Amino acid sequence: MKKYALVIHGGAVTMKPDELSPAEEAAQRKGLAEALQAGWEILHRGGPALDAVEAVVRTLEDNEHFNAGRGSGLTQQGEVKMDAAIMDGRTLNAGAVSAVSYVQHPISLARAVMEHSPHVCLAELGALELALEKGLAVKPPSYFLTEKTRQQWLEIVQKEEAMAMHDTVGAVALDQDGNLAVATSTGGIEGQLKGRVGDSPIIGGGTYASNDSCAVSCTGDGEVIMRGALAHEVHALVKHKGLPLAQACQAAIALRDDELKGDKGMIAIDHHGNIALEFNTNLMRRAYRVGTGEPVVAMWKDE
Ligand code: ASP
């Protein structure tokens, strides 16, 4: 059997351990394990990396414990506006959506943009129209809202000093045919301005895959990640400088650190099946499985 591997994340943030309840932490670990399994099964039976990363992200979009799809953070106006992107390392084809509401699985809509439109990125109503045209599932606003996101939003609008949380989900995979793919999806930063677009749907910003180097999905402060074009930075360091994957990720996170301060995390995989999970925060929800090895799920830095 040929090499295959899958790495996933559920967001990198800086938070005190007591800010995450044991019940919430357990739910997130369970969610990571389930999403990993959904993607791994596809790779294990010889399916494409593209299907595996989409399956992982759809699973996390359905899980209200992650900031993507159901459970997305709310904008300043209290709305859900989601970003997502998918990229095929074999062809460099890519699809993305930004600031979409109602769509249950923004990642599948990003895939529809890639496969059924002449464009790479569609926003808002244009994206929604494609979702309706292709028969993708849509849900009312109440589906996306959770007690947690409503409370966090209330805190943000009531207190000036309230911490705006941000999170994202993502997956990178190598399949048995040697192809790489990436998928990233997010509700963005809580309390973000209407119309804000983060790094996740920016090809080369938070999402990039190329069979001749690696696949990368980022999480953290989107404004910083996109200014550093960090996903493409990792690709360039691997491809042009020959850096090993983990070193390339570390260098990308450290890139112009004075100007690009902020939370930065990323998962990556290369065409040899090497994997990397790097972050400068104390928490990155993450999981991976290499071939038939044991699945690994982790949250805190020192795990
Ligand atoms: N990068 C995402 C954004 O800025 C948020 C995150 O990854 O936590 O929209």
PDB file of all heavy atoms in Angstrom, residues 9-13 67 81 83 165-169 184-190 192 196-201 206 218-226 263 265 285, ligand 1:
ATOM      1  N   HIS A   9      -6.855  20.630  11.642  1.00  0.00           N
ATOM      2  CA  HIS A   9      -6.837  21.545  12.793  1.00  0.00           C
ATOM      3  C   HIS A   9      -8.225  22.118  13.028  1.00  0.00           C
ATOM      4  O   HIS A   9      -9.068  22.151  12.135  1.00  0.00           O
ATOM      5  CB  HIS A   9      -5.791  22.654  12.617  1.00  0.00           C
ATOM      6  CG  HIS A   9      -6.162  23.712  11.625  1.00  0.00           C
ATOM      7  ND1 HIS A   9      -7.062  24.712  11.911  1.00  0.00           N
ATOM      8  CD2 HIS A   9      -5.754  23.944  10.359  1.00  0.00           C
ATOM      9  CE1 HIS A   9      -7.194  25.511  10.866  1.00  0.00           C
ATOM     10  NE2 HIS A   9      -6.411  25.058   9.891  1.00  0.00           N
ATOM     11  N   GLY A  10      -8.403  22.582  14.272  1.00  0.00           N
ATOM     12  CA  GLY A  10      -9.664  23.225  14.644  1.00  0.00           C
ATOM     13  C   GLY A  10      -9.408  24.589  15.246  1.00  0.00           C
ATOM     14  O   GLY A  10     -10.179  25.059  16.077  1.00  0.00           O
ATOM     15  N   GLY A  11      -8.288  25.216  14.810  1.00  0.00           N
ATOM     16  CA  GLY A  11      -8.030  26.595  15.222  1.00  0.00           C
ATOM     17  C   GLY A  11      -6.923  26.727  16.254  1.00  0.00           C
ATOM     18  O   GLY A  11      -6.805  25.906  17.164  1.00  0.00           O
ATOM     19  N   ALA A  12      -6.102  27.768  16.064  1.00  0.00           N
ATOM     20  CA  ALA A  12      -5.028  28.098  17.019  1.00  0.00           C
ATOM     21  C   ALA A  12      -5.384  29.408  17.701  1.00  0.00           C
ATOM     22  O   ALA A  12      -5.690  30.393  17.031  1.00  0.00           O
ATOM     23  CB  ALA A  12      -3.693  28.240  16.281  1.00  0.00           C
ATOM     24  N   VAL A  13      -5.336  29.417  19.011  1.00  0.00           N
ATOM     25  CA  VAL A  13      -5.613  30.644  19.775  1.00  0.00           C
ATOM     26  C   VAL A  13      -4.744  30.695  21.022  1.00  0.00           C
ATOM     27  O   VAL A  13      -4.210  29.672  21.458  1.00  0.00           O
ATOM     28  CB  VAL A  13      -7.084  30.744  20.284  1.00  0.00           C
ATOM     29  CG1 VAL A  13      -8.013  31.252  19.236  1.00  0.00           C
ATOM     30  CG2 VAL A  13      -7.572  29.450  20.873  1.00  0.00           C
ATOM     31  N   ASN A  67     -15.487  26.852  15.154  1.00  0.00           N
ATOM     32  CA  ASN A  67     -15.901  28.095  14.491  1.00  0.00           C
ATOM     33  C   ASN A  67     -15.845  27.934  12.972  1.00  0.00           C
ATOM     34  O   ASN A  67     -14.914  28.389  12.301  1.00  0.00           O
ATOM     35  CB  ASN A  67     -14.988  29.236  14.970  1.00  0.00           C
ATOM     36  CG  ASN A  67     -15.345  30.567  14.324  1.00  0.00           C
ATOM     37  OD1 ASN A  67     -16.171  30.629  13.414  1.00  0.00           O
ATOM     38  ND2 ASN A  67     -14.708  31.623  14.774  1.00  0.00           N
ATOM     39  N   LYS A  81     -21.095  35.015   8.907  1.00  0.00           N
ATOM     40  CA  LYS A  81     -20.532  35.243   7.564  1.00  0.00           C
ATOM     41  C   LYS A  81     -19.305  34.342   7.452  1.00  0.00           C
ATOM     42  O   LYS A  81     -18.336  34.540   8.189  1.00  0.00           O
ATOM     43  CB  LYS A  81     -20.108  36.709   7.394  1.00  0.00           C
ATOM     44  CG  LYS A  81     -21.265  37.685   7.409  1.00  0.00           C
ATOM     45  CD  LYS A  81     -21.987  37.683   6.076  1.00  0.00           C
ATOM     46  CE  LYS A  81     -23.200  38.576   6.081  1.00  0.00           C
ATOM     47  NZ  LYS A  81     -24.032  38.388   4.902  1.00  0.00           N
ATOM     48  N   ASP A  83     -16.175  32.042   5.518  1.00  0.00           N
ATOM     49  CA  ASP A  83     -15.182  31.974   4.438  1.00  0.00           C
ATOM     50  C   ASP A  83     -14.707  30.522   4.309  1.00  0.00           C
ATOM     51  O   ASP A  83     -14.576  29.834   5.332  1.00  0.00           O
ATOM     52  CB  ASP A  83     -13.925  32.777   4.794  1.00  0.00           C
ATOM     53  CG  ASP A  83     -14.130  34.282   4.853  1.00  0.00           C
ATOM     54  OD1 ASP A  83     -15.120  34.780   4.290  1.00  0.00           O
ATOM     55  OD2 ASP A  83     -13.264  34.957   5.449  1.00  0.00           O
ATOM     56  N   MET A 165     -12.573  36.288  20.026  1.00  0.00           N
ATOM     57  CA  MET A 165     -12.015  34.978  19.713  1.00  0.00           C
ATOM     58  C   MET A 165     -12.073  34.748  18.209  1.00  0.00           C
ATOM     59  O   MET A 165     -12.887  35.349  17.510  1.00  0.00           O
ATOM     60  CB  MET A 165     -12.822  33.879  20.413  1.00  0.00           C
ATOM     61  CG  MET A 165     -12.747  33.946  21.926  1.00  0.00           C
ATOM     62  SD  MET A 165     -11.063  33.788  22.532  1.00  0.00           S
ATOM     63  CE  MET A 165     -10.853  32.037  22.405  1.00  0.00           C
ATOM     64  N   HIS A 166     -11.200  33.903  17.760  1.00  0.00           N
ATOM     65  CA  HIS A 166     -11.212  33.547  16.346  1.00  0.00           C
ATOM     66  C   HIS A 166     -10.833  32.082  16.252  1.00  0.00           C
ATOM     67  O   HIS A 166     -10.140  31.569  17.139  1.00  0.00           O
ATOM     68  CB  HIS A 166     -10.214  34.395  15.561  1.00  0.00           C
ATOM     69  CG  HIS A 166      -8.820  34.297  16.105  1.00  0.00           C
ATOM     70  ND1 HIS A 166      -7.992  33.253  15.831  1.00  0.00           N
ATOM     71  CD2 HIS A 166      -8.140  35.098  16.946  1.00  0.00           C
ATOM     72  CE1 HIS A 166      -6.843  33.423  16.461  1.00  0.00           C
ATOM     73  NE2 HIS A 166      -6.905  34.534  17.161  1.00  0.00           N
ATOM     74  N   ASP A 167     -11.288  31.430  15.267  1.00  0.00           N
ATOM     75  CA  ASP A 167     -10.944  30.021  15.047  1.00  0.00           C
ATOM     76  C   ASP A 167     -11.275  29.647  13.622  1.00  0.00           C
ATOM     77  O   ASP A 167     -12.008  30.364  12.935  1.00  0.00           O
ATOM     78  CB  ASP A 167     -11.751  29.105  15.984  1.00  0.00           C
ATOM     79  CG  ASP A 167     -11.051  28.919  17.306  1.00  0.00           C
ATOM     80  OD1 ASP A 167      -9.840  28.710  17.272  1.00  0.00           O
ATOM     81  OD2 ASP A 167     -11.716  28.992  18.348  1.00  0.00           O
ATOM     82  N   THR A 168     -10.787  28.512  13.240  1.00  0.00           N
ATOM     83  CA  THR A 168     -10.925  28.042  11.867  1.00  0.00           C
ATOM     84  C   THR A 168     -10.798  26.540  11.911  1.00  0.00           C
ATOM     85  O   THR A 168     -10.261  25.998  12.879  1.00  0.00           O
ATOM     86  CB  THR A 168      -9.774  28.649  11.019  1.00  0.00           C
ATOM     87  OG1 THR A 168      -9.972  30.042  10.903  1.00  0.00           O
ATOM     88  CG2 THR A 168      -9.688  28.063   9.633  1.00  0.00           C
ATOM     89  N   VAL A 169     -11.260  25.857  10.883  1.00  0.00           N
ATOM     90  CA  VAL A 169     -10.955  24.437  10.773  1.00  0.00           C
ATOM     91  C   VAL A 169     -10.255  24.205   9.438  1.00  0.00           C
ATOM     92  O   VAL A 169     -10.456  24.965   8.485  1.00  0.00           O
ATOM     93  CB  VAL A 169     -12.229  23.567  10.880  1.00  0.00           C
ATOM     94  CG1 VAL A 169     -13.008  23.899  12.144  1.00  0.00           C
ATOM     95  CG2 VAL A 169     -13.122  23.702   9.661  1.00  0.00           C
ATOM     96  N   THR A 184      -9.963  24.669   3.998  1.00  0.00           N
ATOM     97  CA  THR A 184      -9.998  25.533   5.189  1.00  0.00           C
ATOM     98  C   THR A 184     -11.373  26.195   5.253  1.00  0.00           C
ATOM     99  O   THR A 184     -11.907  26.584   4.211  1.00  0.00           O
ATOM    100  CB  THR A 184      -8.911  26.632   5.095  1.00  0.00           C
ATOM    101  OG1 THR A 184      -7.655  26.050   4.714  1.00  0.00           O
ATOM    102  CG2 THR A 184      -8.729  27.370   6.409  1.00  0.00           C
ATOM    103  N   SER A 185     -11.938  26.329   6.446  1.00  0.00           N
ATOM    104  CA  SER A 185     -13.269  26.935   6.559  1.00  0.00           C
ATOM    105  C   SER A 185     -13.389  27.649   7.902  1.00  0.00           C
ATOM    106  O   SER A 185     -12.893  27.156   8.918  1.00  0.00           O
ATOM    107  CB  SER A 185     -14.333  25.828   6.456  1.00  0.00           C
ATOM    108  OG  SER A 185     -15.638  26.360   6.576  1.00  0.00           O
ATOM    109  N   THR A 186     -14.065  28.797   7.915  1.00  0.00           N
ATOM    110  CA  THR A 186     -14.115  29.576   9.157  1.00  0.00           C
ATOM    111  C   THR A 186     -15.307  30.508   9.229  1.00  0.00           C
ATOM    112  O   THR A 186     -15.834  30.939   8.196  1.00  0.00           O
ATOM    113  CB  THR A 186     -12.816  30.423   9.300  1.00  0.00           C
ATOM    114  OG1 THR A 186     -12.817  31.069  10.566  1.00  0.00           O
ATOM    115  CG2 THR A 186     -12.706  31.474   8.216  1.00  0.00           C
ATOM    116  N   GLY A 187     -15.701  30.816  10.475  1.00  0.00           N
ATOM    117  CA  GLY A 187     -16.668  31.891  10.712  1.00  0.00           C
ATOM    118  C   GLY A 187     -15.947  33.197  10.962  1.00  0.00           C
ATOM    119  O   GLY A 187     -16.572  34.230  11.183  1.00  0.00           O
ATOM    120  N   GLY A 188     -14.606  33.162  10.960  1.00  0.00           N
ATOM    121  CA  GLY A 188     -13.800  34.381  11.079  1.00  0.00           C
ATOM    122  C   GLY A 188     -13.581  34.820  12.517  1.00  0.00           C
ATOM    123  O   GLY A 188     -13.573  34.007  13.435  1.00  0.00           O
ATOM    124  N   ILE A 189     -13.420  36.112  12.693  1.00  0.00           N
ATOM    125  CA  ILE A 189     -13.147  36.679  14.016  1.00  0.00           C
ATOM    126  C   ILE A 189     -14.453  37.205  14.583  1.00  0.00           C
ATOM    127  O   ILE A 189     -15.181  37.936  13.909  1.00  0.00           O
ATOM    128  CB  ILE A 189     -12.109  37.820  13.902  1.00  0.00           C
ATOM    129  CG1 ILE A 189     -10.781  37.245  13.384  1.00  0.00           C
ATOM    130  CG2 ILE A 189     -11.913  38.527  15.235  1.00  0.00           C
ATOM    131  CD1 ILE A 189      -9.668  38.242  13.267  1.00  0.00           C
ATOM    132  N   GLU A 190     -14.713  36.843  15.838  1.00  0.00           N
ATOM    133  CA  GLU A 190     -15.966  37.310  16.439  1.00  0.00           C
ATOM    134  C   GLU A 190     -15.987  38.823  16.509  1.00  0.00           C
ATOM    135  O   GLU A 190     -14.996  39.451  16.874  1.00  0.00           O
ATOM    136  CB  GLU A 190     -16.100  36.737  17.838  1.00  0.00           C
ATOM    137  CG  GLU A 190     -16.543  35.309  17.779  1.00  0.00           C
ATOM    138  CD  GLU A 190     -16.376  34.637  19.117  1.00  0.00           C
ATOM    139  OE1 GLU A 190     -16.194  35.331  20.114  1.00  0.00           O
ATOM    140  OE2 GLU A 190     -16.420  33.409  19.122  1.00  0.00           O
ATOM    141  N   GLN A 192     -16.205  40.752  13.991  1.00  0.00           N
ATOM    142  CA  GLN A 192     -15.579  41.355  12.803  1.00  0.00           C
ATOM    143  C   GLN A 192     -16.572  42.263  12.083  1.00  0.00           C
ATOM    144  O   GLN A 192     -17.788  42.087  12.183  1.00  0.00           O
ATOM    145  CB  GLN A 192     -15.050  40.275  11.853  1.00  0.00           C
ATOM    146  CG  GLN A 192     -16.132  39.410  11.216  1.00  0.00           C
ATOM    147  CD  GLN A 192     -15.578  38.216  10.426  1.00  0.00           C
ATOM    148  OE1 GLN A 192     -14.402  37.927  10.484  1.00  0.00           O
ATOM    149  NE2 GLN A 192     -16.436  37.539   9.697  1.00  0.00           N
ATOM    150  N   ARG A 196     -15.937  41.825   6.212  1.00  0.00           N
ATOM    151  CA  ARG A 196     -14.531  41.447   6.397  1.00  0.00           C
ATOM    152  C   ARG A 196     -14.258  40.060   5.797  1.00  0.00           C
ATOM    153  O   ARG A 196     -15.054  39.137   5.948  1.00  0.00           O
ATOM    154  CB  ARG A 196     -14.201  41.425   7.888  1.00  0.00           C
ATOM    155  CG  ARG A 196     -12.740  41.079   8.186  1.00  0.00           C
ATOM    156  CD  ARG A 196     -12.617  39.802   8.977  1.00  0.00           C
ATOM    157  NE  ARG A 196     -11.233  39.470   9.293  1.00  0.00           N
ATOM    158  CZ  ARG A 196     -10.824  38.247   9.570  1.00  0.00           C
ATOM    159  NH1 ARG A 196     -11.681  37.250   9.610  1.00  0.00           N
ATOM    160  NH2 ARG A 196      -9.564  38.004   9.805  1.00  0.00           N
ATOM    161  N   VAL A 197     -13.151  39.943   5.104  1.00  0.00           N
ATOM    162  CA  VAL A 197     -12.734  38.651   4.568  1.00  0.00           C
ATOM    163  C   VAL A 197     -11.395  38.311   5.207  1.00  0.00           C
ATOM    164  O   VAL A 197     -10.496  39.154   5.241  1.00  0.00           O
ATOM    165  CB  VAL A 197     -12.617  38.704   3.025  1.00  0.00           C
ATOM    166  CG1 VAL A 197     -12.063  37.402   2.483  1.00  0.00           C
ATOM    167  CG2 VAL A 197     -13.979  39.004   2.403  1.00  0.00           C
ATOM    168  N   GLY A 198     -11.274  37.113   5.747  1.00  0.00           N
ATOM    169  CA  GLY A 198     -10.027  36.705   6.403  1.00  0.00           C
ATOM    170  C   GLY A 198      -9.068  36.043   5.431  1.00  0.00           C
ATOM    171  O   GLY A 198      -9.220  36.134   4.212  1.00  0.00           O
ATOM    172  N   ASP A 199      -8.076  35.369   5.990  1.00  0.00           N
ATOM    173  CA  ASP A 199      -7.036  34.730   5.169  1.00  0.00           C
ATOM    174  C   ASP A 199      -7.487  33.393   4.579  1.00  0.00           C
ATOM    175  O   ASP A 199      -6.935  32.949   3.567  1.00  0.00           O
ATOM    176  CB  ASP A 199      -5.790  34.469   6.017  1.00  0.00           C
ATOM    177  CG  ASP A 199      -6.119  33.547   7.198  1.00  0.00           C
ATOM    178  OD1 ASP A 199      -7.008  33.915   8.001  1.00  0.00           O
ATOM    179  OD2 ASP A 199      -5.524  32.462   7.303  1.00  0.00           O
ATOM    180  N   SER A 200      -8.471  32.750   5.227  1.00  0.00           N
ATOM    181  CA  SER A 200      -8.805  31.368   4.846  1.00  0.00           C
ATOM    182  C   SER A 200      -9.150  31.216   3.364  1.00  0.00           C
ATOM    183  O   SER A 200      -8.683  30.270   2.719  1.00  0.00           O
ATOM    184  CB  SER A 200      -9.950  30.840   5.709  1.00  0.00           C
ATOM    185  OG  SER A 200      -9.649  31.022   7.061  1.00  0.00           O
ATOM    186  N   PRO A 201      -9.977  32.116   2.780  1.00  0.00           N
ATOM    187  CA  PRO A 201     -10.327  31.932   1.366  1.00  0.00           C
ATOM    188  C   PRO A 201      -9.317  32.564   0.405  1.00  0.00           C
ATOM    189  O   PRO A 201      -9.551  32.561  -0.807  1.00  0.00           O
ATOM    190  CB  PRO A 201     -11.678  32.650   1.253  1.00  0.00           C
ATOM    191  CG  PRO A 201     -11.575  33.758   2.233  1.00  0.00           C
ATOM    192  CD  PRO A 201     -10.719  33.248   3.367  1.00  0.00           C
ATOM    193  N   GLY A 206      -4.177  31.845   3.519  1.00  0.00           N
ATOM    194  CA  GLY A 206      -4.390  30.825   4.545  1.00  0.00           C
ATOM    195  C   GLY A 206      -4.495  29.423   3.997  1.00  0.00           C
ATOM    196  O   GLY A 206      -4.606  28.459   4.758  1.00  0.00           O
ATOM    197  N   CYS A 218      -3.802  27.385   7.233  1.00  0.00           N
ATOM    198  CA  CYS A 218      -3.411  28.255   8.354  1.00  0.00           C
ATOM    199  C   CYS A 218      -4.587  28.566   9.260  1.00  0.00           C
ATOM    200  O   CYS A 218      -5.750  28.476   8.863  1.00  0.00           O
ATOM    201  CB  CYS A 218      -2.864  29.579   7.836  1.00  0.00           C
ATOM    202  SG  CYS A 218      -1.383  29.408   6.846  1.00  0.00           S
ATOM    203  N   THR A 219      -4.250  28.998  10.464  1.00  0.00           N
ATOM    204  CA  THR A 219      -5.239  29.507  11.413  1.00  0.00           C
ATOM    205  C   THR A 219      -4.551  30.572  12.269  1.00  0.00           C
ATOM    206  O   THR A 219      -3.345  30.546  12.439  1.00  0.00           O
ATOM    207  CB  THR A 219      -5.805  28.379  12.301  1.00  0.00           C
ATOM    208  OG1 THR A 219      -6.521  28.977  13.390  1.00  0.00           O
ATOM    209  CG2 THR A 219      -4.732  27.474  12.859  1.00  0.00           C
ATOM    210  N   GLY A 220      -5.358  31.496  12.780  1.00  0.00           N
ATOM    211  CA  GLY A 220      -4.801  32.565  13.600  1.00  0.00           C
ATOM    212  C   GLY A 220      -5.335  33.904  13.131  1.00  0.00           C
ATOM    213  O   GLY A 220      -6.417  33.970  12.528  1.00  0.00           O
ATOM    214  N   ASP A 221      -4.584  34.970  13.403  1.00  0.00           N
ATOM    215  CA  ASP A 221      -5.024  36.318  13.021  1.00  0.00           C
ATOM    216  C   ASP A 221      -4.930  36.477  11.500  1.00  0.00           C
ATOM    217  O   ASP A 221      -3.843  36.599  10.936  1.00  0.00           O
ATOM    218  CB  ASP A 221      -4.149  37.372  13.710  1.00  0.00           C
ATOM    219  CG  ASP A 221      -4.411  37.409  15.213  1.00  0.00           C
ATOM    220  OD1 ASP A 221      -5.585  37.286  15.609  1.00  0.00           O
ATOM    221  OD2 ASP A 221      -3.449  37.542  15.990  1.00  0.00           O
ATOM    222  N   GLY A 222      -6.098  36.496  10.876  1.00  0.00           N
ATOM    223  CA  GLY A 222      -6.149  36.471   9.417  1.00  0.00           C
ATOM    224  C   GLY A 222      -5.445  37.639   8.755  1.00  0.00           C
ATOM    225  O   GLY A 222      -4.803  37.478   7.713  1.00  0.00           O
ATOM    226  N   GLU A 223      -5.539  38.815   9.383  1.00  0.00           N
ATOM    227  CA  GLU A 223      -4.938  39.997   8.762  1.00  0.00           C
ATOM    228  C   GLU A 223      -3.420  39.823   8.670  1.00  0.00           C
ATOM    229  O   GLU A 223      -2.785  40.266   7.709  1.00  0.00           O
ATOM    230  CB  GLU A 223      -5.296  41.255   9.570  1.00  0.00           C
ATOM    231  CG  GLU A 223      -6.689  41.829   9.263  1.00  0.00           C
ATOM    232  CD  GLU A 223      -7.862  40.930   9.669  1.00  0.00           C
ATOM    233  OE1 GLU A 223      -7.652  39.959  10.415  1.00  0.00           O
ATOM    234  OE2 GLU A 223      -8.990  41.209   9.228  1.00  0.00           O
ATOM    235  N   VAL A 224      -2.844  39.195   9.680  1.00  0.00           N
ATOM    236  CA  VAL A 224      -1.401  38.971   9.721  1.00  0.00           C
ATOM    237  C   VAL A 224      -1.014  37.862   8.732  1.00  0.00           C
ATOM    238  O   VAL A 224      -0.047  37.987   7.973  1.00  0.00           O
ATOM    239  CB  VAL A 224      -1.009  38.600  11.180  1.00  0.00           C
ATOM    240  CG1 VAL A 224       0.361  37.989  11.232  1.00  0.00           C
ATOM    241  CG2 VAL A 224      -1.117  39.820  12.078  1.00  0.00           C
ATOM    242  N   ILE A 225      -1.789  36.790   8.741  1.00  0.00           N
ATOM    243  CA  ILE A 225      -1.477  35.646   7.874  1.00  0.00           C
ATOM    244  C   ILE A 225      -1.543  36.052   6.402  1.00  0.00           C
ATOM    245  O   ILE A 225      -0.680  35.692   5.603  1.00  0.00           O
ATOM    246  CB  ILE A 225      -2.439  34.473   8.165  1.00  0.00           C
ATOM    247  CG1 ILE A 225      -2.179  33.941   9.585  1.00  0.00           C
ATOM    248  CG2 ILE A 225      -2.290  33.363   7.130  1.00  0.00           C
ATOM    249  CD1 ILE A 225      -3.246  32.999  10.116  1.00  0.00           C
ATOM    250  N   MET A 226      -2.548  36.855   6.052  1.00  0.00           N
ATOM    251  CA  MET A 226      -2.651  37.207   4.624  1.00  0.00           C
ATOM    252  C   MET A 226      -1.591  38.222   4.216  1.00  0.00           C
ATOM    253  O   MET A 226      -1.097  38.195   3.107  1.00  0.00           O
ATOM    254  CB  MET A 226      -4.062  37.645   4.248  1.00  0.00           C
ATOM    255  CG  MET A 226      -4.550  38.940   4.776  1.00  0.00           C
ATOM    256  SD  MET A 226      -6.184  39.287   4.064  1.00  0.00           S
ATOM    257  CE  MET A 226      -7.248  38.866   5.394  1.00  0.00           C
ATOM    258  N   ASP A 263      -1.421  35.781  16.477  1.00  0.00           N
ATOM    259  CA  ASP A 263      -1.572  34.329  16.579  1.00  0.00           C
ATOM    260  C   ASP A 263      -1.386  33.723  15.192  1.00  0.00           C
ATOM    261  O   ASP A 263      -2.039  34.146  14.232  1.00  0.00           O
ATOM    262  CB  ASP A 263      -2.988  33.971  17.062  1.00  0.00           C
ATOM    263  CG  ASP A 263      -3.206  34.315  18.531  1.00  0.00           C
ATOM    264  OD1 ASP A 263      -2.214  34.632  19.220  1.00  0.00           O
ATOM    265  OD2 ASP A 263      -4.365  34.254  18.975  1.00  0.00           O
ATOM    266  N   GLY A 265      -0.857  29.793  13.279  1.00  0.00           N
ATOM    267  CA  GLY A 265      -0.736  28.347  13.361  1.00  0.00           C
ATOM    268  C   GLY A 265      -0.919  27.762  11.982  1.00  0.00           C
ATOM    269  O   GLY A 265      -1.549  28.387  11.118  1.00  0.00           O
ATOM    270  N   ARG A 285      -5.988  23.203  18.284  1.00  0.00           N
ATOM    271  CA  ARG A 285      -6.745  21.948  18.228  1.00  0.00           C
ATOM    272  C   ARG A 285      -6.266  21.223  16.983  1.00  0.00           C
ATOM    273  O   ARG A 285      -6.323  21.794  15.884  1.00  0.00           O
ATOM    274  CB  ARG A 285      -8.234  22.251  18.143  1.00  0.00           C
ATOM    275  CG  ARG A 285      -8.725  23.089  19.294  1.00  0.00           C
ATOM    276  CD  ARG A 285     -10.119  23.606  19.053  1.00  0.00           C
ATOM    277  NE  ARG A 285     -10.472  24.573  20.073  1.00  0.00           N
ATOM    278  CZ  ARG A 285     -10.273  25.883  19.964  1.00  0.00           C
ATOM    279  NH1 ARG A 285      -9.728  26.400  18.867  1.00  0.00           N
ATOM    280  NH2 ARG A 285     -10.605  26.692  20.939  1.00  0.00           N
TER     281      ARG A 285
HETATM  282  N1  ASP B   1      -7.732  32.952  10.319  1.00  0.00           N
HETATM  283  C1  ASP B   1      -9.121  33.097  10.636  1.00  0.00           C
HETATM  284  C2  ASP B   1      -9.592  34.443  10.183  1.00  0.00           C
HETATM  285  O1  ASP B   1      -8.894  35.401  10.376  1.00  0.00           O
HETATM  286  C3  ASP B   1      -9.429  32.920  12.069  1.00  0.00           C
HETATM  287  C4  ASP B   1      -8.676  31.813  12.752  1.00  0.00           C
HETATM  288  O2  ASP B   1      -8.015  31.027  12.128  1.00  0.00           O
HETATM  289  O3  ASP B   1      -8.730  31.716  13.965  1.00  0.00           O
HETATM  290  O4  ASP B   1     -10.681  34.566   9.684  1.00  0.00           O
END
